[in-house]
Amino acid sequence: MSISAALHCSQKDVLHLAKISATRIELVDPLGSKNVIGASINTAIHFAQTMGVPRIEVEALCLQADVMLRQGDRLLAGSFASRSAAIANRNGLRLNKLLALHYYGKALHERGQLELAQHVLKETQREAERRGYQSLEDVAASSSIPSK
């Protein structure tokens, strides 16, 4: 419905945010196509870079990190998450930065870098609390990309 509305209004930024959300839903659907998910994410990243919309790029990169974690590619997941955090930081996207750091911490944990992962996740949690969120789940709930 949101994709249809965005298409009707010719709001390409809203369209890509809606597609990212739809892709998130497809990700948890066991019948979701990996090719469709990857294509949607790549299209959103390309649009964001071309049009200079960092929020879409950050959210798409976080989603890409989540996909890589689910597929067991911890190195690539960490790379996407750190890139997302850097872009969010440069553009003052605090909430998105916290979510990206959460994914980065998860990737570090999956890589076996437990001490560093614990440090990143604790600092992310502290920052979330300083911003008025009770937990990282509250951060995810406030973002268009929920944490799993």
Side-chain angles (χ1 to χ4, degrees), residues 59-88:
E59 291 199 18
L61 288 169
C62 277
L63 181 56
Q64 187 74 309
D66 187 17
V67 169
M68 292 297 105
L69 281 171
R70 289 170 188 260
Q71 292 177 354
D73 193 336
R74 300 169 301 270
L75 290 174
L76 203 49
S79 176
F80 285 124
S82 64
R83 193 167 131 208
S84 180
I87 294 166

Side-chain angles (χ1 to χ4, degrees), residues 17 27 36 58 60 72 79 83 88 108 120 122 127 133 136-137:
L17 285 171
L27 186 60
V36 171
V58 166
S79 176
R83 193 167 131 208
L108 291 171
V120 169
K122 278 185 179 180
E127 182 64 19
Y133 298 99
L136 288 173
E137 286 74 28

Side-chain angles (χ1 to χ4, degrees), residues 13-84:
D13 55 340
V14 175
L15 173 64
H16 285 285
L17 285 171
K19 284 183 176 182
I20 289 170
S21 293
T23 301
R24 168 62 71 189
I25 293 167
E26 287 178 29
L27 186 60
V28 297
D29 178 4
L31 300 176
S33 168
K34 303 277 190 269
N35 293 334
V36 171
I37 291 170
S40 295
I41 295 170
N42 290 334
T43 300
I45 291 170
H46 177 72
F47 171 80
Q49 290 172 340
T50 302
M51 300 306 291
V53 186
R55 179 175 173 233
I56 294 174
E57 184 174 7
V58 166
E59 291 199 18
L61 288 169
C62 277
L63 181 56
Q64 187 74 309
D66 187 17
V67 169
M68 292 297 105
L69 281 171
R70 289 170 188 260
Q71 292 177 354
D73 193 336
R74 300 169 301 270
L75 290 174
L76 203 49
S79 176
F80 285 124
S82 64
R83 193 167 131 208
S84 180

